[in-house]
Structure formats: C-alpha cells, structure tokens
Amino acid sequence: ETKTPRATCRRPDPDSTDLASMTYSLRKRILVTGGAGFLGSHLCQRLLAEGHDVICVDNFFTGTKDNIAQLLDNPYFELMRHDVTFPLYLEVDEIYNLACPASPIHYQFDPVQTTKTSVHGAINMLGLAKRLKAKIFQASTSEVYGDPTIHPQPESYWGNVNPNGPRSCYDEGKRCAETLFFDYRRQHGLRVKLARIFNTYGPRMHPNDGRVVSNFIVQALRGEPITLYGNGTQTRSFCYVDDLIEGFIRLMDSPDALAGPINLGNPGEFTMIELAETIRDLTGSQSPLVHEALPTDDPRQRQPDIALARSALDWEPRVALREGLKPTIDYFEQLLRLG
Ligand code: NAD
Ligand code: UDP
Ligand code: UDP
C-alpha cells in the first residue's frame, strides 16, 4: 500500500531563482495549542519537518519543556506560555487545538479547569480562527461515545455519556467543544476539522498517568509485577503516535467539505494479557503478572471504526503494536535511567 502523495513544502534555496522557490508560498504559520504535550510535541516536530512556521502555545499543566527541547533551537519554532482559557491574539494560517489534559488522573485533578480548557479554550481558538479566516482542527476523543452501547463506534453514534459524573468534565467538555466547532462552521462559515482520537501511545507519553501502556512498560523495566486489572481479557486498540499524526495532517489538508467528525485510531484489538506478554517479551523482563480489581465502568472492549478515515483520507495505521512498542520502550528506558 502506498500513501497518497502530499504537497511538500521544503524551505527554498535562497540562491535559487527557479520555480522551486515558489514552494516557499506553501509555508504556513501554524499554531499548535497543547504543543508541549505528548501528541502536540510530535505534531510540532512533523510540521517543522514539512517546512512550516510553528507556534506552540502551552501552559505546561501536563506538557513539559523536555518534550520540545529538541525544537527550541529551530528558528521556525516559537514557544509561548499561555492558557487557552484566556484570549489569544496572533496571526496564523492554521490552528491545531490540542490543549487539554487527557488522562483521568490529570483531567480530574482540577475538573472545573478541564471544562474551561475545552469550552473557553475552544471559544477563544474559534474566535481567533474566525478573525483570521484560518482553518482550525480540534482534537476530540473517543470518550465522546462515553460507555458505548454499540461496537465498534461509527461517527454517527451519538454516545452514552453521564453528564454529571467524575469523567464528565472531560467527556462533556469535549462534546461541547464539538458543538462549538460545528456552530462556528454553520453560523460563521469557518473551516473546521474534527478528529475523534482513540487510545494512542508512543515516546513522550506520560510515565505516571496510570494508562495501561505506560504502566506495563515501567513495571516491566523495573522488574515490578505487571498489574492486570480484572482477568485481563478486556480489549483495547492502540494507535502508534506517528500514524495518528499522519491522520491529523491528512484531515487538515482534506477538502473543506470534510469537517468530520472522523475517527482516528488503530482497529487492531488486543487483550490486556496479550499486551502484558508482548511488553514482557520485548523488554526481556521477568516481571510476574498479577491481578488487581477491575475499576468500575471499565469498558470490556474499545475499537475504532475507521471506515470513514479509510475512504475519505485514504488513511489507516501502518505501525504494528510490536513495532510501535519498541521506540516507546526505548523512551521509557532512557527516562528511567535519567531518574
Ligand atoms: P497531554 O496532556 O500530553 O497534552 C495536552 C497539552 O495541553 C499539555 O502540554 C498541557 O500542558 C496543555 N494544556 C492543558 N490545559 C491547557 C490550557 N488551559 N492552556 C494551554 N495548554 C494547556 O495529552 P495528549 O495525549 O498529548 O493529548 C492531546 C489532545 O489529544 C488532548 O486534547 C486530548 O484530549 C486529545 N486526545 C488524546 C488521546 C491520547 O490517546 N493521547 C486520545 C483522545 C484524545
Ligand atoms: N478571540 C481571541 N483571539 C482573537 C479573536 C477572538 O482570543 O483573535 C476570543 C475573544 O476573546 C472572544 C472569543 O474569541 O471571546 C470568541 O470570539 P468571537 O468573535 O466568536 O465572539 P465575540 O468576540 O463576539 O464574543
Ligand atoms: N489496565 C490494566 N492495568 C493497568 C492499567 C490499566 O489492566 O495498570 C487496564 C484497564 O483496566 C483498562 C485497560 O487497561 O481495561 C486500558 O486502560 P487505560 O486507562 O490505559 O485506558 P482506557 O480504559 O481509557 O481505554
């Protein structure tokens, strides 16, 4: 399978007078909110590699300077400490709105701020996009489906979400952001792009956010017991970060008529026992598998339906779980070595 070719925008040779320098006009100024986070830092890196100017806005709640340290020397990269719940005045061509804590431990730390980030953050970034007539991408989530009653979930499924539980600040915040994106589109003709992201893993994910991939890798590397919640037969589908970022860019570059929402994730489904054994194998760890209580409302299964992404973006994940786990394990190994 081959990827659809995309226009590349290489930086022009300053001495060149030929047509190649016209590619210069393809260079865009792109704002990435939440750019110092896990996904945001990979997106900034990819956009810079394509020759764009990138402005990363982050309040460093869950993001770190370490995530973008290797970008700071790049003159086409700018870092701005700013909280998206406050207005932001900049001049850019495109906006990727990723700012929001993403794991339960982080988003439940200050749930009111989580809702503000999703809702006020969306209003401010949409206001900015409206003033600039800029195209704007929203990082939505599979959590908008809540505790789904159908599997796998197509984009047309409206979800099954508790409006006032401990997860609601995230789920309902993201759902309200979706409402705002589509109302700015209907009311103001904004060009919007909305991706519903499923579980993603890779280097720079948080070591302490309690998610299964980071937990298992850290436990395996430390030789500690690997904690399987419940009997470990529940399944999840994990997308490698590079595949996901390719999906972001394809969606952003797609025709204006395609606003989404569009599911992005890897449909390959694994039980938690399979995940634990793969990680134990790849790390050469002797860690035993132990069973702990299954959290309440833990979904039995989660798998994205990516038929729309396949047909509309010609996109599907390419990195198999074993392959993606290798650089992720390398990352955690280095992190643990540095203490
Ligand atoms: P992350 O926590 O690593 O990144 C979020 C970034 O947003 C952090 O750098 C954080 O400091 C920043 N941030 C938070 N609140 C902010 C605010 N008010 N103002 C400015 N910056 C703020 O999480 P991630 O996994 O990279 O997730 C990025 C986006 O993708 C989030 O919107 C998340 O909801 C969405 N998403 C991620 C996943 C996943 O599997 N990682 C799945 C579904 C959706
Ligand atoms: N906004 C912003 N940057 C801009 C333009 C607007 O942060 O460049 C914010 C502004 O604070 C406003 C929000 O975006 O509260 C929504 O803007 P919009 O124009 O939709 O609404 P209004 O200004 O009429 O409230
Ligand atoms: N899980 C586990 N051990 C852990 C952490 C998580 O068995 O140390 C299980 C968890 O019960 C769930 C799955 O792994 O069934 C995925 O959990 P995670 O919190 O990563 O993501 P989500 O439930 O949001 O998909």
Side-chain angles (χ1 to χ4, degrees):
E1 284 160 310
T2 51
K3 291 180 181 173
T4 306
R6 304 184 50 252
T8 50
C9 15
R10 301 198 184 290
R11 220 164 279 293
D13 173 354
D15 301 326
S16 161
T17 51
D18 67 17
L19 279 176
S21 58
M22 284 179 66
T23 56
Y24 188 74
S25 62
L26 290 173
R27 178 146 68 94
K28 292 180 223 153
R29 293 161 304 174
I30 303 179
L31 168 64
V32 178
T33 77
F38 163 46
L39 299 181
S41 61
H42 285 273
L43 178 61
C44 289
Q45 196 174 359
R46 168 76 188 260
L47 293 170
L48 286 167
E50 294 201 1
H52 298 298
D53 273 2
V54 174
I55 303 177
C56 164
V57 160
D58 206 292
N59 71 349
F60 298 113
F61 173 47
T62 52
T64 66
K65 286 188 187 161
D66 290 336
N67 284 344
I68 43 164
Q70 81 286 8
L71 306 180
L72 291 172
D73 288 341
N74 188 324
Y76 298 96
F77 181 73
E78 267 176 276
L79 173 61
M80 219 178 135
R81 179 189 287 265
H82 174 82
D83 182 324
V84 293
T85 62
F86 296 100
L88 179 64
Y89 287 83
L90 294 168
E91 310 306 313
V92 292
D93 304 305
E94 288 181 354
I95 302 168
Y96 286 86
N97 187 37
L98 273 61
C100 187
S103 69
I105 288 180
H106 292 139
Y107 70 65
Q108 290 173 7
F109 174 78
D110 184 350
V112 173
Q113 171 68 9
T114 299
T115 302
K116 282 186 188 169
T117 293
S118 275
V119 178
H120 289 178
I123 291 173
N124 287 327
M125 293 310 106
L126 287 162
L128 176 68
K130 182 182 133 201
R131 179 174 64 77
L132 300 172
K133 298 186 170 46
K135 211 189 308 189
I136 180 165
F137 170 102
Q138 166 68 357
S140 191
T141 168
S142 58
E143 296 292 318
V144 300
Y145 300 124
D147 187 5
T149 51
I150 55 169
H151 293 282
Q153 297 87 44
E155 290 83 353
S156 54
Y157 178 56
W158 289 355
N160 177 32
V161 177
N162 177 352
N164 53 33
R167 299 176 77 102
S168 309
C169 60
Y170 186 69
D171 302 5
E172 294 288 23
K174 288 286 189 180
R175 286 170 68 94
C176 186
E178 290 205 5
T179 308
L180 286 161
F181 269 72
F182 279 87
D183 280 331
Y184 269 79
R185 175 179 158 87
R186 282 183 287 259
Q187 207 174 321
H188 300 300
L190 235 67
R191 292 175 296 155
V192 306
K193 301 285 178 184
L194 201 136
R196 289 186 180 149
I197 304 163
F198 285 67
N199 298 45
T200 301
Y201 70 100
R204 303 204 279 273
M205 70 190 305
H206 301 265
N208 300 320
D209 68 1
R211 309 307 287 273
V212 69
V213 174
S214 43
N215 271 11
F216 285 6
I217 293 178
V218 170
Q219 289 162 345
L221 290 174
R222 288 190 171 140
E224 293 167 359
I226 294 181
T227 53
L228 280 170
Y229 299 162
N231 62 14
T233 58
Q234 71 271 36
T235 66
R236 290 294 185 276
S237 311
F238 302 102
C239 186
Y240 187 63
V241 61
D242 289 355
D243 280 334
L244 186 79
I245 300 301
E246 176 67 27
F248 284 13
I249 301 225
R250 284 188 188 217
L251 176 57
M252 193 60 138
D253 290 351
S254 67
D256 290 347
L258 183 69
I262 191 157
N263 289 339
L264 295 179
N266 191 326
E269 217 179 329
F270 296 87
T271 67
M272 294 310 100
I273 295 180
E274 287 169 333
L275 178 68
E277 280 172 352
T278 308
I279 289 173
R280 212 162 50 163
D281 182 38
L282 290 172
T283 52
S285 170
Q286 304 295 316
S287 288
L289 303 187
V290 297
H291 291 271
E292 291 190 0
L294 189 68
T296 40
D297 297 338
D298 198 80
R300 283 286 314 149
Q301 182 188 16
R302 188 179 298 124
Q303 188 197 23
D305 176 338
I306 60 163
L308 180 59
R310 280 200 174 103
S311 63
L313 305 178
D314 189 23
W315 175 88
E316 66 180 359
R318 278 151 212 287
V319 181
L321 184 64
R322 276 187 89 85
E323 294 316 305
L325 283 172
K326 288 176 193 164
T328 313
I329 290 168
D330 291 346
Y331 169 76
F332 279 110
E333 232 168 6
Q334 200 187 350
L335 204 68
L336 295 184
R337 216 177 302 128
L338 295 173

